[in-house]
């Protein structure tokens, strides 16, 4: 049986959030912190302007794992741990990278348990988010 995933595999994507997208995501998520929608308030903080809420960046980062692995069959996120390290500003081009660090075959699940390590960096090359994850990649669920 052919492997679905290989250790050393890397997949990447980019994201960019406008001020309007940041405010809308925060509203939909129930996050009414003025850092995400009130320019005057945000300008007076250490961030000196609007920043995205953590779940917005995390959603794009986690979503790319489902998109990537579902091209091979079925994928199911099992566990993710994230560290929020810095602000994400409107219009910044974010680079998102995930690396496969371990694959364990699970015949009973008709697939593999895949361990991931990843990071999101801003245009200065600084990590704004890092994470680890475990996903099931299977021929069928």
């Amino acid at each position: 049986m052919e492997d679905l995933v290989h250790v050393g595999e890397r997949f990447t994507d980019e994201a960019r959030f406008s001020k309007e997208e940041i405010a809308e995501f925060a509203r939909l998520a129930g996050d009414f912190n003025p850092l995400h929608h009130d320019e005057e308030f945000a300008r007076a903080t250490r961030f000196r302007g609007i920043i995205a809420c953590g779940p917005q960046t995390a959603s794009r980062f986690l979503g790319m794992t489902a998109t990537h692995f579902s091209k091979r069959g079925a994928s199911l996120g099992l566990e993710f741990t994230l560290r929020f390290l810095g602000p994400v500003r409107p219009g910044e081009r974010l680079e998102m990278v995930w690396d496969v660090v371990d694959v364990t075959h699970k015949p009973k699940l008709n697939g593999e348990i895949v361990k991931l390590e990843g990071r999101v960096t801003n245009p200065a090359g600084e990590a704004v988010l890092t994470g680890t994850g475990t996903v099931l990649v299977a021929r069928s669920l």
Side-chain angles (χ1 to χ4, degrees), residues 15 19 22 28-29 35 47 59-61 68-69 74-75 77 79 82 90 104 106-107 112 121 126 130 135 137:
K19 280 185 184 180
I22 289 170
L28 290 170
L35 277 172
F47 301 111
S59 292
R60 284 294 302 272
F61 192 42
H68 178 77
F69 291 120
S75 75
E79 179 179 17
L82 302 172
T104 304
K106 292 290 186 182
E112 301 161 348
T121 54
E126 301 161 333
T130 59
V135 298
V137 180

Side-chain angles (χ1 to χ4, degrees), residues 21-67:
E21 290 169 325
I22 289 170
E24 180 69 0
F25 186 95
R27 185 186 69 73
L28 290 170
D31 182 344
F32 298 102
N33 184 333
L35 277 172
H36 311 311
H37 61 83
D38 183 333
E39 184 67 49
E40 187 177 338
F41 173 88
R43 229 182 289 119
T45 70
R46 74 174 85 177
F47 301 111
R48 290 184 243 138
I50 296 287
I51 61 170
C53 60
Q56 185 167 16
T57 306
S59 292
R60 284 294 302 272
F61 192 42
L62 299 181
M64 69 185 275
T65 67
T67 298

